[in-house]
Structure formats: C-alpha cells, structure tokens
Amino acid sequence: MNVGKIYDYIDSIAPFSAQEEWDNSGLQVGSRTQEVKKVLIGLDATVSLVEEAKKKGCDLIISHHPLLFHGIKQLTGATPQERCVEKAIRHNIAIYSSHTAMDAYIHGVSGKIANKLGITNYHILCPTTEKNIGLGVIGNLNTSMNSDDFILLVQKVF
C-alpha cells in the first residue's frame, strides 16, 4: 500500500474538489509513492502526533485539519507548523488531511454526528452538483423535542 492509493480512495468518497476555496486538504508532507504499513489518525497534525506516529511505527498521519493553510517560506523550526513538518520529514512520516472535503461528504463528519444523535432519514442540507456532497445534514429525530432538550442531547452524546 502507498500514500497515493490511500489518497485516491479517500478522494473517491470525499473528493478534494468539494473542499472550500480557502481550505488546503490533501497531501501535506510526503510523497504519493511512499509505502504505508501503519496509519495514525488525529484531529490536528501536531508535533506530539508526529512523535506518537514515530513511536508506533506509523508511516502516515491522516488528520482532519490541515497542517498547512498558507505557504511556508522557510523551515527554521520557528513555528509549531515548521517543527511538525521538520519532524515528519526527518522520520519519513507522510501527513494527509481531508478537512472540508470530509465535512462535505454525507457519511463524513456531519453524517457521523447525525448518526450519533439518532437522526434518521438525513440528507445534505446544502447540496453541490456532486452526489453525496454538500454542507450540513438535515433529518428527523425519533421523538419530538424542544431546542433546550436537543442541546442537552448534544451535550450528553458529545
């Protein structure tokens, strides 16, 4: 298995074309041809996550939030992002993110939240032209409740 195959699979269900204009999803550090035997998944790519990946023998980190939103003009270790990139390169760990592309996939973040809350018959709130892609989901609860009770449900579940 290599990074490119994992990238292509995720792109097939949560296409990068669906990411928001301002986002920077995709391969952040590493090469598509890099071999992958173990993967670590996290919310944010941080130095501590790279250290954990190194300890566990992982070749790839898949993070939700991109490590890099803006270009890096130098690599001096002056910022947390620079230190994370340096450490990942030093230990041959690729970093890949699927931020708003995964947010927009119906079975991605919004769909998982709907499932956990017991929302049924949900569909995309703001669909795009691509199948199963758009922002937010809307559906039905099994029982009627007011907004305060719904907030309590969200607190309990999360």
Side-chain angles (χ1 to χ4, degrees), residues 117-120 139-145 150 153:
L117 293 173
I119 296 172
T120 59
N140 302 311
L141 291 168
N142 288 332
T143 59
S144 181
M145 63 179 72
F150 183 72
L153 173 65

Side-chain angles (χ1 to χ4, degrees), residues 32-157:
R32 286 181 58 94
T33 60
Q34 186 173 336
E35 186 178 353
V36 177
K37 292 180 182 169
K38 287 180 85 176
V39 177
L40 182 65
I41 297 174
L43 182 62
D44 295 302
T46 61
V47 171
S48 63
L49 194 66
V50 174
E51 289 169 355
E52 183 179 348
K54 180 186 172 223
K55 274 187 218 170
K56 293 182 175 183
C58 297
D59 313 290
L60 172 64
I61 292 172
I62 298 177
S63 68
H64 182 64
H65 296 126
L67 170 63
L68 306 171
F69 276 100
H70 308 288
I72 292 180
K73 295 184 180 192
Q74 53 197 16
L75 213 51
T76 63
T79 68
Q81 290 83 7
E82 290 176 25
R83 289 189 292 278
C84 191
V85 169
E86 286 176 334
K87 190 170 281 284
I89 291 170
R90 191 175 303 119
H91 299 293
N92 200 33
I93 298 170
I95 300 175
Y96 166 92
S97 304
S98 185
H99 189 212
T100 57
M102 189 59 71
D103 287 341
Y105 173 52
I106 192 162
H107 301 296
V109 177
S110 295
K112 295 298 180 197
I113 290 171
N115 286 333
K116 286 198 168 281
L117 293 173
I119 296 172
T120 59
N121 301 320
Y122 62 84
H123 59 277
I124 294 171
L125 181 62
C126 299
T128 66
T129 57
E130 296 184 58
K131 184 181 179 189
N132 294 325
I133 301 294
L135 294 178
V137 296
I138 188 167
N140 302 311
L141 291 168
N142 288 332
T143 59
S144 181
M145 63 179 72
N146 64 40
S147 59
D148 289 338
D149 289 338
F150 183 72
I151 290 169
L152 290 174
L153 173 65
V154 171
Q155 286 177 325
K156 178 182 172 190
V157 170

